[in-house]
Amino acid sequence: MNFPFYIAKRYLRSKSSQNAVNIINFITFLVIVIGSAALFVVLSAFAGLKTFSLSFTNTFDPDLKALPISGKYFSVSPEEEIALGNVAGLANYSKELEERAYLTFREKSCIAFIKGIDSQYRSVTGVDSTLYFGNWGVTEYNGVMGIGIYNLLGVPLDNYQTPMTVLVPKPGKGSLSQQGLNATKPYNELPIVVSGVYAVEENLDKKYVFAHLPLVQALLEKDSTQISGINFKLNGQIPIEDIKTSIKKILRDKILVLDRQEQNSTLHRMLNTENLATYLIFTLVLIIALFNVVGAIIMMILDKQQNSKTLFSLGATIKELRTIYFTQGLLVTSLGGLIGVLIGSLLIGSQLAFGWLKITPSLSYPVEYDVVNVFVVLATIVVLGFISSKIASSRISRKLITA
């Protein structure tokens, strides 16, 4: 067995004759355990919140989405649609047409997006799971709106006598007042009979009204080939980058192909920044806590000064003596970090199993057990323990031993 490691292990298990040194060592070890457990719990809780936040957008966001490089719309020919259907790795795709619109019902009104969707949209995205009540309708003029719009306008379901009206400006150049000189109405309108209501989260609940794609194309005066986006669902058998390349070859330079993260790049960037900031803040707390390790090792050096003199007299070098206390500090921090992660794992596991911490009476606080977080916490503890142990063990010198 390595000589410095053997001595360090003995020092780790043995108690000092000075009770104050034992208390300091215990407090140091406890601080490391609590600090590493806290860091792991916070990282796991933030990972759960990140997944929980992204779950709202993922119901509307497909695996891949094609958007126009410039402008709001682009055209897809029947030949291109056939070619897209033959792309390896695609399970399905759907077309959509989206535009901001003015919604009015009786004396109430609001601004939202009218989204025209085809028959494949519900199988490509997870929007079916968001339906709160009602259904997707059986007639051409049926539509589904968010619960925020539903509460604001008070539109009853299946109201065929007085449906909600969707208004959009007529396409063209010049101001609306100039167009009004040549046309009876400067806008197009579409009656929508609300057949269902979806609910996801506040912002999305106030954003969309879903309707049939041909109706929205007629409302916006677009032909059957003009759309604002194509949603793609993958089968997971082909790398996503290869599928992106295949789609771009078919639709050429008129579109961008975005994955889930790119579709919500701002949200992902914000969440990643918050995660990094949280990690750095708790790492700073650990750095402050690990100053105790430096103090504890120095106290141990002074307490074991006579032992060090004996070892030096028996032939141990200054380097070997430094290695003894460096190894001891590394063992203390590594063992404390490991126990802390185990305690944190038990807390996170109990939350996943029993949901004892609640946000609402029916919703448990979201957490996520990620093996990456285990390695991050252990690596952080070991690195900080290495630095603090190196600083403390460097206090060993010939002058101290021979004093």
Side-chain angles (χ1 to χ4, degrees), residues 290 293 297 326 329-330 333-334 379-391:
L290 283 170
V293 175
I297 294 175
F326 169 77
L330 207 56
T333 52
S334 300
T380 302
I381 292 293
V382 169
V383 169
L384 294 179
F386 179 92
I387 295 171
S388 58
S389 300
K390 198 72 175 176
I391 293 172

Side-chain angles (χ1 to χ4, degrees), residues 40 43-44 338 341 345 369-379:
F40 180 76
L43 291 179
S44 299
L338 184 60
V341 168
S345 298
Y369 190 90
D370 192 346
V371 178
V372 173
N373 288 335
V374 175
F375 288 109
V376 167
V377 173
L378 290 178

Side-chain angles (χ1 to χ4, degrees), residues 13-306:
R13 291 183 298 180
S14 64
K15 289 187 177 181
S16 171
S17 57
Q18 301 294 326
N19 196 43
V21 175
N22 293 329
I23 294 173
I24 291 172
N25 289 339
F26 176 76
I27 292 174
T28 300
F29 185 75
L30 193 62
V31 165
I32 296 170
V33 170
I34 294 173
S36 57
L39 178 59
F40 180 76
V41 168
V42 167
L43 291 179
S44 299
F46 193 89
L49 281 175
K50 181 178 179 180
T51 302
F52 183 71
S53 300
L54 293 176
S55 66
F56 294 125
T57 59
N58 287 345
T59 55
F60 281 89
D61 296 333
D63 297 328
L64 288 176
K65 187 163 190 172
L67 296 173
I69 283 183
S70 61
K72 293 182 178 181
Y73 316 108
F74 64 98
S75 296
V76 180
S77 66
E79 292 77 15
E80 288 173 331
E81 288 193 41
I82 294 172
L84 287 174
N86 295 326
V87 171
L90 286 185
N92 207 347
Y93 73 92
S94 71
K95 299 179 294 181
E96 66 175 41
L97 181 60
E98 177 182 311
E99 184 57 272
R100 189 181 294 271
Y102 181 78
L103 311 179
T104 178
F105 178 73
R106 293 176 180 167
E107 296 180 355
K108 298 178 181 179
S109 61
C110 71
I111 302 293
F113 283 87
I114 180 75
K115 184 190 280 281
I117 57 175
D118 62 16
S119 58
Q120 302 300 321
Y121 184 81
R122 289 156 57 191
S123 63
V124 171
T125 65
V127 71
D128 247 352
S129 63
T130 68
L131 197 64
Y132 192 55
F133 55 84
N135 55 64
W136 288 92
V138 293
T139 70
E140 183 184 8
Y141 288 91
N142 282 141
V144 173
M145 63 167 50
I147 194 169
I149 305 173
Y150 175 81
N151 291 334
L152 187 63
L153 298 183
V155 185
L157 295 187
D158 300 321
N159 183 18
Y160 288 90
Q161 292 184 344
T162 54
M164 177 184 71
T165 304
V166 180
L167 306 174
V168 297
K170 287 185 176 180
K173 297 181 180 180
S175 65
L176 289 177
S177 58
Q178 291 173 334
Q179 290 189 25
L181 298 174
N182 303 317
T184 306
K185 294 180 180 179
Y187 55 83
N188 294 326
E189 59 182 87
L190 171 68
I192 291 290
V193 177
V194 179
S195 62
V197 175
Y198 74 83
V200 184
E201 58 93 23
E202 185 177 359
N203 292 327
L204 290 173
D205 291 345
K206 296 178 179 179
K207 188 172 183 180
Y208 291 118
V209 173
F210 293 100
H212 290 278
L213 179 60
L215 280 181
V216 178
Q217 287 173 329
L219 176 68
L220 300 177
E221 298 184 13
K222 306 296 179 185
D223 61 44
S224 60
T225 66
Q226 289 183 289
I227 54 176
S228 61
I230 305 178
N231 305 293
F232 299 96
K233 184 175 183 179
L234 311 184
N235 59 22
Q237 298 176 1
I238 304 293
I240 190 169
E241 291 301 324
D242 294 346
I243 299 175
K244 278 187 175 184
T245 303
S246 300
I247 294 172
K248 288 178 181 178
K249 284 182 180 178
I250 296 170
L251 298 177
R252 296 180 294 279
D253 297 332
K254 58 186 174 183
I255 54 97
L256 291 171
V257 183
L258 308 178
D259 57 29
R260 285 187 187 273
Q261 184 168 337
E262 291 167 337
Q263 291 169 54
N264 292 284
S265 57
T266 303
L267 177 60
H268 278 270
R269 197 179 302 115
M270 180 190 69
L271 291 174
N272 290 334
T273 302
E274 290 179 353
N275 192 19
L276 178 61
T278 303
Y279 169 75
L280 292 177
I281 290 171
F282 271 81
T283 300
L284 179 61
V285 173
L286 277 177
I287 291 173
I288 296 172
L290 283 170
F291 277 118
N292 289 328
V293 175
V294 178
I297 294 175
I298 291 175
M299 290 292 293
M300 181 64 70
I301 290 172
L302 296 176
D303 183 61
K304 302 291 185 181
Q305 188 173 10
Q306 291 301 321

